[in-house]
Amino acid sequence: MAQRIESSTESDDNGKFRTDLTEDSQKESSGSLSGADTWNFALLVVLYLLQGVPVGLTFGSIPFLLKAKLSYSQIGIFSLAHYPYSMKFLWSPIVDAIYNKGFGRRKSWIVPIQLMTGLMFLWLGTKIEGWMAQEHIAVGTLTVVFFMLIFFCATQDIAVDGWALTLLSKENLSYASTAQTIGLNTGYFLSFTVFLAFNSPEFSNKYFRTEPQDYGLVPLGGYLKFWAVMYLAITLWLVLMKKEERTHLDEDDIGIKAVYQIILRIIRLPHMKSFMVVLLTAKIGFIANDAVTALKLLEKGFSKEDLALAVLIDFPFQIIFGYYAVRWSSGARPLKPWLWAFFAHLACCVIAMLLVYGFPADGVVTPAYFYMVLITTVATSFTSTVAFVSMGAFMTVIADPVIGGTYMTLLNTLSNFGGTWPRFFVLEAVDYFTVSSCSVVNKKGEEFSCTAESGKSMCESLGGECVLQQDGYYLVSSMCVLIGGLMLVFYIAPTIRYLESLNPKKWKLDQK
């Protein structure tokens, strides 16, 4: 395919690109953030951190809290709340084209969106405890509410991605992906790991209380109210203290229709089509591990506080990995670390599946088993961070800053969607291939399945136990890794090597 697309004149351009990129990376690696770039880098970290808070709740904590009452299929329904993050390119041209020149191109969207998110957090903080305490949780209501939160979060991300391209100087643009990694991971970490730990009665009683209580130190409602205040305070600071400087890019106003036309032209580029296929399929190999493994460990008896402690220890490593990954991603082959991380991530998925299979039969988590889970967690996050930063640095290089928010959003959206669209089907498949029946018959004298939560509740009310004959997790996880491995060897790796050899000019369009 690469030979079919490549023309004879491209070889000289690509050779020049390798030389130029190597020289640029040497300049970047020899320098460091200073002056205005340091403060702007810190601002980007804070803005991305705010994104990570609702993302951590929606992608992490809420599914964990729901698992005690819902089946994997029902959690799959809640996973539909992730979709705005993976569909944001549909409205990104509006964010790029409509703004108040006096207030600022990016602040025109960041400020109102963060205000609405803060107010929604404040309202949700007064309702969420009652919803979660219901015997039969209204999954549809929760899905709609968190869908709206992620929609706000995704819209803010469009504006922040675009601002990053002009907020940092040209020689430090690669640090934008580092800011995103640090900010998003920190927000996600606070809303997932830290929150789950302090929300857990067991963790709170073990480390902070002399008299045990049946509730955690940090309730979900209180956590949401805290971040509502933080959202409103940071947004107020942004309005009063941070002025958005106009750039030459803001002088070229592009209409909404024109931006959509540009997107279509970008999508039609032959090499962009190949890149889109990679982004939409690359995460299939990891999706079962990402969506189910931690839930399966909890189901088998691994405590939430132990899991939270493992991720807590892992967090500093993510920050360190993110810092060095941006340097590893420099050079003539910016996606080389991404390919190596892909291989390593698949291996981590296999190891994680074996750890679930080898969970102690007596339910007692030994120090040796905990350390194995910890090492696997750190290794998996290492591969994810390297891949994320490497891909982000590559996207920053090829993005056209004239429509920076839209271009970066399109690429990030495709990457996010590659990890979103399989999740619902994987969660459904786990329940579909799981065979579990109750040890007693129902009132009609018939055997019945207790894979779904309704069946489990009926089995418990009849005084029976659910007997697991086949766990669909192992079949689904094995199929994902197999498909991911085959695609990597026969399509993804050859395509990536071709795409990273292209001159950045090949990814831009003449808009005049």
Side-chain angles (χ1 to χ4, degrees):
M1 179 172 60
Q3 291 175 346
R4 189 167 66 246
I5 297 172
E6 208 169 18
S7 67
S8 59
T9 58
E10 284 180 342
S11 59
D12 293 338
D13 291 340
N14 294 340
K16 184 178 184 299
F17 164 58
R18 286 193 177 93
T19 303
D20 293 344
L21 186 57
T22 303
E23 291 174 355
D24 291 342
S25 65
Q26 289 172 348
K27 291 177 183 177
E28 290 178 15
S29 61
S30 62
S32 59
L33 289 171
S34 60
D37 271 355
T38 301
W39 291 104
N40 289 335
F41 176 82
L43 174 60
L44 286 174
V45 170
V46 171
L47 294 177
Y48 281 120
L49 182 148
L50 292 180
Q51 287 180 38
V53 171
V55 169
L57 288 170
T58 309
F59 288 54
S61 292
I62 300 300
F64 270 76
L65 296 175
L66 292 175
K67 185 63 189 80
K69 296 184 177 181
L70 303 181
S71 66
Y72 287 107
S73 297
Q74 290 172 306
I75 293 176
I77 293 174
F78 180 77
S79 72
L80 297 177
H82 305 178
Y83 271 64
Y85 222 90
S86 303
M87 302 297 291
K88 56 190 174 182
F89 77 94
L90 294 175
W91 65 93
S92 63
I94 299 174
V95 178
D96 240 19
I98 298 177
Y99 59 94
N100 183 290
K101 292 184 178 180
F103 195 56
R105 185 171 194 168
R106 309 305 176 184
K107 284 176 61 178
S108 295
W109 286 93
I110 294 173
V111 168
I113 286 295
Q114 289 185 177
L115 284 175
M116 287 189 289
T117 305
L119 293 174
M120 191 168 184
F121 265 17
L122 193 61
W123 169 78
L124 188 58
T126 65
K127 302 288 185 181
I128 192 71
E129 298 284 357
W131 293 351
M132 298 294 286
Q134 294 175 355
E135 183 177 351
H136 299 289
I137 295 176
V139 181
T141 301
L142 279 176
T143 302
V144 170
V145 170
F146 280 91
F147 183 95
M148 289 302 301
L149 275 175
I150 296 301
F151 173 78
F152 291 153
C153 178
T155 304
Q156 190 242 27
D157 184 58
I158 297 169
V160 175
D161 282 347
W163 202 5
L165 295 177
T166 56
L167 201 57
L168 297 175
S169 58
K170 184 178 180 181
E171 60 271 18
N172 287 320
L173 267 183
S174 59
Y175 282 95
S177 61
T178 305
Q180 187 179 35
T181 300
I182 295 173
L184 276 174
N185 281 344
T186 302
Y188 190 95
F189 165 76
L190 291 173
S191 287
F192 184 19
T193 307
V194 174
F195 168 72
L196 275 185
F198 286 92
N199 181 256
S200 167
E202 293 82 6
F203 181 88
S204 302
N205 292 335
K206 183 176 180 180
Y207 294 105
F208 296 99
R209 289 174 175 151
T210 55
E211 295 184 9
Q213 304 289 340
D214 58 356
Y215 54 87
L217 287 173
V218 180
L220 180 55
Y223 184 79
L224 289 169
K225 292 175 184 176
F226 168 79
W227 279 108
V229 174
M230 294 301 296
Y231 259 89
L232 297 175
I234 292 170
T235 304
L236 181 62
W237 178 90
L238 201 60
V239 171
L240 299 177
M241 305 299 294
K242 180 62 180 178
K243 181 180 179 181
E244 183 177 349
E245 302 293 337
R246 288 179 60 83
T247 68
H248 69 283
L249 299 176
D250 295 329
E251 303 299 329
D252 301 323
D253 289 333
I254 304 174
I256 298 175
K257 182 178 179 181
V259 175
Y260 278 112
Q261 291 173 338
I262 290 169
I263 288 178
L264 288 176
R265 289 173 60 196
I266 292 172
I267 291 175
R268 288 169 182 165
L269 292 172
H271 48 272
M272 180 58 76
K273 293 177 183 177
S274 301
F275 194 31
M276 288 172 61
V277 173
V278 170
L279 294 177
L280 290 173
T281 58
K283 296 179 182 178
I284 291 177
F286 323 133
I287 196 64
N289 181 63
D290 294 345
V292 186
T293 296
L295 295 175
K296 186 60 66 174
L297 282 173
L298 290 178
E299 182 182 297
K300 283 182 170 287
F302 201 86
S303 66
K304 284 192 291 186
E305 57 268 25
D306 282 343
L307 189 62
L309 180 60
V311 183
L312 176 65
I313 296 172
D314 166 62
F315 178 69
F317 289 99
Q318 292 189 39
I319 303 300
I320 296 171
F321 298 153
Y323 176 79
Y324 284 103
V326 72
R327 297 184 181 274
W328 298 337
S329 302
S330 302
R333 293 194 58 198
L335 289 178
K336 185 177 180 180
W338 187 88
L339 284 175
W340 283 109
F342 198 118
F343 280 104
H345 200 157
L346 287 176
C348 288
C349 292
V350 175
I351 295 171
M353 183 168 52
L354 293 175
L355 281 174
V356 174
Y357 183 79
F359 191 86
D362 57 4
V364 178
V365 177
T366 62
Y369 186 86
F370 174 79
Y371 290 135
M372 286 190 290
V373 172
L374 175 62
I375 293 171
T376 305
T377 301
V378 172
T380 303
S381 71
F382 169 71
T383 62
S384 298
T385 302
V386 171
F388 180 81
V389 174
S390 178
M391 185 60 73
F394 178 71
M395 290 177 179
T396 303
V397 170
I398 66 175
D400 192 335
V402 176
I403 53 165
T406 296
Y407 206 123
M408 287 294 290
T409 297
L410 173 63
L411 297 177
N412 282 318
T413 295
L414 291 171
S415 180
N416 290 333
F417 194 55
T420 299
W421 72 263
R423 184 179 292 263
F424 172 80
F425 300 103
V426 163
L427 289 166
E428 288 283 344
V430 170
D431 271 353
Y432 180 81
F433 290 109
T434 295
V435 179
S436 178
S437 60
C438 187
S439 59
V440 298
V441 295
N442 60 18
K443 295 179 180 180
K444 296 180 180 180
E446 301 171 338
E447 293 185 355
F448 63 95
S449 171
C450 56
T451 299
E453 290 304 312
S454 58
K456 290 181 182 178
S457 299
M458 182 186 297
C459 187
E460 291 176 2
S461 66
L462 293 172
E465 293 182 357
C466 286
V467 180
L468 183 66
Q469 286 92 29
Q470 176 179 298
D471 194 335
Y473 163 74
Y474 301 109
L475 175 61
V476 174
S477 184
S478 299
M479 289 299 298
C480 286
V481 172
L482 178 62
I483 293 171
L486 292 174
M487 290 195 64
L488 173 63
V489 173
F490 294 105
Y491 178 77
I492 294 176
T495 303
I496 284 294
R497 293 188 184 103
Y498 164 69
L499 294 176
E500 67 183 356
S501 71
L502 293 171
N503 190 305
K505 294 179 181 179
K506 302 289 184 182
W507 299 89
K508 296 176 175 63
L509 296 175
D510 181 10
Q511 296 159 30
K512 295 183 179 181

